[in-house]
Amino acid sequence: MATKGTEYKSFDLPGAEYYTLAGLQVPSAVLLRNMTVSELRHFAKIGNLDFFMDKILDACIGGEPFDHDLLLIGDRIYLFYMIRALTMGGDYAFEIPCEGCGINMKASADLFKLPIKPYNPEFGYPLKVHLPKSDKDVEFTLMNRKMEKAMEAQISKVATQLPGSEPNEPVYRIAQLVTSISGLTPMEIRDFVASMHYLDWKVLD
């Protein structure tokens, strides 16, 4: 919980242009603070990674209130790492496996200096791509936490009511993000995605 005198730092959201084009009420920059010791100890007990991130973002985002579930998944991850940097310092140590010998090599990076690629407004909204194998045009959106929660709830509901019949999660996610495919009705889109050629799948995955 933030206390009097808590310092916040502003971070530009990589997906800012996307929110504008999509008409979503998300600011272009977000104020963040570090986690407190008590928050670190409390959040460390949370086993579910998505819920863990939900709680951290809700606690550490300041400024004018907005629906944090509207944040794109990529922006959530970005903000999570910035909170980590504010809390523990920007230096982030990790290991990279050598493709030749398999030995892990130690490396480090400054989280505050990571290259960020913002959403290009020329991509428009929804995004449009052409599938090379099926020769079809596709329009799709990007995943945010609100959509993710709805999908998780639906998959869980199906799993409870009809065990063993829950949809393939990657296929289900892609099908939910696709808004149109040339020549197909909404009812046909999911079947098309499920049987999609690998070369087309790679374009959307």
Side-chain angles (χ1 to χ4, degrees):
M1 178 180 293
T3 58
K4 185 177 180 180
T6 298
E7 293 186 2
Y8 286 86
K9 185 174 181 179
S10 179
F11 293 89
D12 293 333
L13 290 175
E17 292 287 354
Y18 179 89
Y19 302 125
T20 299
L21 293 171
L24 298 175
Q25 300 301 308
V26 177
S28 60
V30 169
L31 294 175
L32 296 180
R33 66 167 174 84
N34 63 283
M35 286 184 283
T36 65
V37 173
S38 60
E39 286 171 339
L40 279 169
R41 292 175 176 173
H42 172 70
F43 293 144
K45 300 176 184 177
I46 300 175
N48 183 287
L49 178 60
D50 289 326
F51 186 62
F52 172 72
M53 290 183 66
D54 289 341
K55 289 299 183 182
I56 289 178
L57 292 175
D58 287 345
C60 297
I61 291 178
E64 292 294 323
F66 69 96
D67 186 353
H68 300 164
D69 282 352
L70 294 179
L71 287 167
L72 296 174
I73 299 303
D75 280 355
R76 280 168 50 85
I77 294 172
Y78 167 67
L79 293 179
F80 177 79
Y81 275 105
M82 292 305 98
I83 293 171
R84 189 269 185 205
L86 290 172
T87 303
M88 303 178 182
D91 188 56
Y92 184 75
F94 57 96
E95 294 184 345
I96 303 174
C98 174
E99 295 182 1
C101 63
I103 296 177
N104 288 336
M105 299 179 292
K106 293 185 178 181
S108 64
D110 185 341
L111 293 178
F112 289 125
K113 296 180 180 179
L114 290 178
I116 303 300
K117 187 176 182 179
Y119 184 82
N120 187 340
E122 293 182 1
F123 292 158
Y125 177 88
L127 290 86
K128 300 175 178 65
V129 295
H130 183 76
L131 301 181
K133 193 66 178 179
S134 60
D135 193 30
K136 290 185 179 296
D137 295 316
V138 176
E139 293 185 348
F140 64 99
T141 61
L142 298 180
M143 178 78 73
N144 61 32
R145 181 61 175 145
K146 185 174 184 179
M147 298 165 66
E148 190 174 53
K149 283 182 177 179
M151 292 183 195
E152 290 171 352
Q154 182 61 29
I155 291 174
S156 178
K157 180 180 179 181
V158 173
T160 300
Q161 296 178 344
L162 299 168
S165 64
E166 56 269 21
N168 178 282
E169 189 167 338
V171 171
Y172 183 72
R173 283 172 176 261
I174 292 294
Q176 293 300 305
L177 294 176
V178 171
T179 58
S180 74
I181 298 179
S182 56
L184 298 182
T185 67
M187 293 294 291
E188 295 172 326
I189 289 178
R190 187 177 302 177
D191 290 337
F192 175 84
V193 172
S195 59
M196 186 181 294
H197 192 282
Y198 177 75
L199 295 178
D200 286 346
W201 177 267
K202 288 292 291 183
V203 174
L204 292 174
D205 189 17

